[in-house]
Amino acid sequence: MRILIVIPALGAVYGGPSKCVVELAQALGNLGITVDIVTTNANGSTNLDFPLQTWIAEKSYRVKYFPHWGLSDYKISLSLTRWLFQHVADYDLVHTNAIFSYSVLPAHWACQLHRVPYVMTPHGMLDPWALSYKAWKKHFYYTLFEKPALERASAIQMLASSEAQCAKPLNLQSPLVIVPNGIHRQDFETLPDPELFYQQFPDTRNKKLILFLGRVDPKKGLDLLAVAFAKVYAQFPQTHLVVAGQDNIGFLPTAQSYFAERGCLDAVTFTGMLTGSLKYAALAAASVYVAPSYSEGFSMSVLEGMASGLPCVITTGCNFPEAAMAQAAHVVNLDTEELANALIECLRHPQQAKEMGDRARQLIFEQYTWDQIALNLSKVYTSILKQEPIYG
């Protein structure tokens, strides 16, 4: 089976979608599937430093980068467009990632021209909050480009049952298949010494750390978190909030102002994006993980917090109701009072919080590893190619 994965960019600044595509490609390749990725060299305000328009061999897949020019978030690449029309027919199936980005549109058009089946993964962008954000621009683009592509897809990959439920009012004719993101179990079996994190950020030493791990972006709910954390900090002055994430759009001053207005900015450390051992050390140093998002596809960082055995407080916008059903996380509404109360509960009852973290770790290790996810997705691919009913 030859699979082509198309994504607008793989730069680390784009967070979860870029990370999960790479890790999925590796896991699919480990199953003996031939996997190629094509993408642009975009990386926020810079470009990735890779050879362009040549295959780069990774562990179990290949990737080819194309030059682009930026128009808002659309990442237009004429060379990638040409390549797709010339080479899509070389593959059994194409899997595109993202909507509202020009880079993937030519893949859909080329697939339709050459009669190659394709799967689309919107990564949460069909969620009502995501569709309403900058709605004036998205409505035209969705009607003209995205809806026709979605209607012709062999399947649309939803990352969570709640994401699929939110997409139903759109009345899409293509089958929705639920296949979530995952983690590599070996990355979380033994976390590094938290001292590595304390040395880098000494203000966090000897504090009860609440960790937010995600982009500094309006949809991540930092305005909600500021109100909730101020209430937590008033009761637990030894707490310290770590906001670990990249600011791609210049939102950091606004985010900092939320905490300043609540009088708790001195108890917040903005670290920027953490990667590698430093990120895992932050997870090891934390006492509680929090994700106050308005909208997610299926958050990679939530999986990482749970796989680290942390008690997690997440919102319904994180699209992970299964965590609540397994009593593996506090899943709260988009409400500052509920958010604050759940954080306080974790801090006030550390033994119960630890037990919840243990359940979270077990749930992720049993059901959300990339090996299992790749196997499930490969079955979807096979069903499409055999023109059989799709189950997922």
Side-chain angles (χ1 to χ4, degrees), residues 70-324:
L71 178 63
S72 184
D73 296 325
Y74 293 115
K75 302 178 184 66
I76 295 172
S77 173
L78 297 181
S79 57
L80 175 57
T81 298
R82 285 193 298 269
W83 187 93
L84 287 166
F85 276 95
Q86 292 167 0
H87 293 283
V88 151
D90 299 340
Y91 296 88
D92 298 310
L93 184 143
V94 174
H95 189 157
T96 66
N97 291 264
I99 62 174
F100 301 117
S101 181
Y102 169 81
S103 306
V104 298
L105 282 178
H108 303 144
W109 299 334
C111 285
Q112 293 163 26
L113 177 65
H114 293 288
R115 299 179 181 272
V116 175
Y118 64 90
V119 174
M120 294 178 67
T121 305
H123 291 280
M125 293 306 294
L126 293 178
D127 181 271
W129 187 93
L131 289 174
S132 66
Y133 184 66
K134 299 182 180 178
W136 60 272
K137 180 170 64 172
K138 287 179 178 174
H139 178 74
F140 172 78
Y141 195 93
Y142 176 80
T143 303
L144 191 61
F145 298 119
E146 297 297 358
K147 187 174 183 180
L150 288 160
E151 295 283 8
R152 293 180 175 88
S154 296
I156 302 170
Q157 181 195 2
M158 299 279 102
L159 300 174
S161 58
S162 51
E163 185 189 13
Q165 195 66 32
C166 287
K168 284 186 177 179
L170 298 174
N171 295 316
L172 299 171
Q173 301 305 306
S174 301
L176 305 181
V177 56
I178 300 169
V179 184
N181 291 328
I183 53 98
H184 291 301
R185 177 175 180 146
Q186 63 270 22
D187 291 343
F188 297 90
E189 287 180 328
T190 304
L191 293 176
D193 190 331
E195 182 63 26
L196 175 64
F197 181 76
Y198 297 141
Q199 288 177 358
Q200 191 75 22
F201 303 99
D203 288 347
T204 65
R205 191 185 295 276
N206 299 322
K207 301 289 177 66
K208 280 279 189 181
L209 300 186
I210 299 173
L211 177 64
F212 166 95
L213 193 62
R215 287 180 291 115
V216 179
D217 186 276
K219 82 168 189 173
K220 297 296 184 177
L222 289 169
D223 54 337
L224 302 177
L225 183 56
V227 177
F229 178 67
K231 295 178 180 179
V232 173
Y233 184 58
Q235 292 191 38
F236 296 89
Q238 281 302 107
T239 56
H240 194 91
L241 177 65
V242 175
V243 177
Q246 182 81 14
D247 174 23
N248 295 339
I249 59 173
F251 191 67
L252 180 59
T254 300
Q256 290 173 325
S257 73
Y258 295 149
F259 295 94
E261 288 166 6
R262 295 291 166 174
C264 59
L265 183 59
D266 289 344
V268 184
T269 294
F270 290 83
T271 67
M273 185 171 63
L274 301 180
T275 59
S277 297
L278 191 56
K279 180 183 74 173
Y280 294 115
L283 288 163
S287 296
V288 183
Y289 171 94
V290 64
S293 296
Y294 288 103
S295 171
E296 295 282 351
F298 192 72
S299 171
M300 290 290 291
S301 65
V302 169
L303 290 180
E304 291 172 344
M306 294 176 70
S308 300
L310 289 173
C312 296
V313 178
I314 66 178
T315 60
T316 52
C318 291
N319 278 327
F320 202 1
E322 294 81 2

Side-chain angles (χ1 to χ4, degrees), residues 332-374:
V332 302
N333 292 313
L334 291 161
D335 178 86
T336 56
E337 195 72 27
E338 289 191 31
L339 195 59
N341 289 342
L343 291 169
I344 289 169
E345 180 78 8
C346 290
L347 295 167
R348 185 170 287 158
H349 303 287
Q351 182 57 38
Q352 290 93 322
K354 180 185 182 303
E355 291 169 2
M356 185 173 68
D358 291 342
R359 289 192 296 271
R361 181 179 172 88
Q362 182 178 357
L363 175 68
I364 302 307
F365 281 5
E366 288 179 354
Q367 299 183 29
Y368 295 91
T369 64
W370 279 120
D371 291 342
Q372 184 63 51
I373 301 308

